[in-house]
């Protein structure tokens, strides 16, 4: 069964191909996902690597955790499952959560000091 690894403390100029080659030393790499800032497109300094089996993932952890890349010691461990995030992109702020009532208008029953 495939195992997903977290790879942290990456040099910011690291490419997915470099990670593919590095982790291939430990076994079969199924996928490499380098995390990038969605606004600038620059690397965020971490990635996820999916190894083909649990054994290959453990091999990658033992071989590559602490491995130095451009003077930076890598952090390699098993990735935690994604945490559930609320759906939608809004919340508070512009256009979200206002309920169409507008800003600055009081609702019936609001208790404000000095009014």
């Amino acid at each position: 069964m495939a195992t997903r690894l977290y790879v942290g403390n990456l040099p910011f100029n690291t490419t997915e191909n470099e990670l593919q080659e590095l982790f291939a030393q430990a076994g079969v790499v199924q996928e490499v996902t380098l995390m990038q800032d969605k606004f600038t497109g620059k690397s965020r300094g971490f990635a996820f690597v999916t190894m083909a089996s649990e054994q290959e993932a453990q091999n990658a952890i033992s071989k590559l955790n602490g491995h130095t890349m451009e003077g930076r010691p890598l952090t390699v461990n098993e990735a935690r499952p994604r945490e559930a995030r609320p759906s939608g992109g809004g919340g508070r702020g512009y256009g979200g959560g206002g309920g169409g009532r507008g800003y600055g208008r009081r609702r019936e029953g609001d208790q404000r000091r000095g009014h």
Side-chain angles (χ1 to χ4, degrees):
M1 185 174 158
T3 302
R4 194 167 189 228
L5 300 176
Y6 165 83
V7 185
N9 201 31
L10 288 169
F12 292 104
N13 60 348
T14 303
T15 66
E16 287 184 352
N17 287 339
E18 288 173 323
L19 287 175
Q20 172 84 31
E21 290 174 16
L22 180 65
F23 278 80
Q25 298 172 18
V28 177
V29 177
Q30 288 187 336
E31 182 181 25
V32 176
T33 306
L34 187 62
M35 304 310 289
Q36 298 175 326
D37 183 276
K38 66 181 175 180
F39 298 111
T40 65
K42 293 183 181 180
S43 170
R44 294 179 60 199
F46 69 98
F48 294 98
V49 176
T50 304
M51 301 299 289
S53 71
E54 173 73 26
Q55 181 59 41
E56 290 168 318
Q58 291 305 318
N59 190 27
I61 291 170
S62 64
K63 275 188 172 184
L64 300 172
N65 188 41
H67 173 80
T68 303
M69 223 173 149
E70 294 183 28
R72 298 175 69 120
L74 299 183
T75 300
V76 181
N77 53 42
E78 225 173 296
R80 294 189 302 246
R82 288 184 180 179
E83 293 180 11
R85 291 186 174 189
S87 62
R92 304 197 185 268
Y94 301 105
R101 291 196 173 110
Y103 294 98
R105 289 176 38 197
R106 290 194 331 184
R107 295 183 302 219
E108 189 175 349
D110 272 358
Q111 300 293 322
R112 293 188 180 175
R113 281 189 242 173
H115 290 266

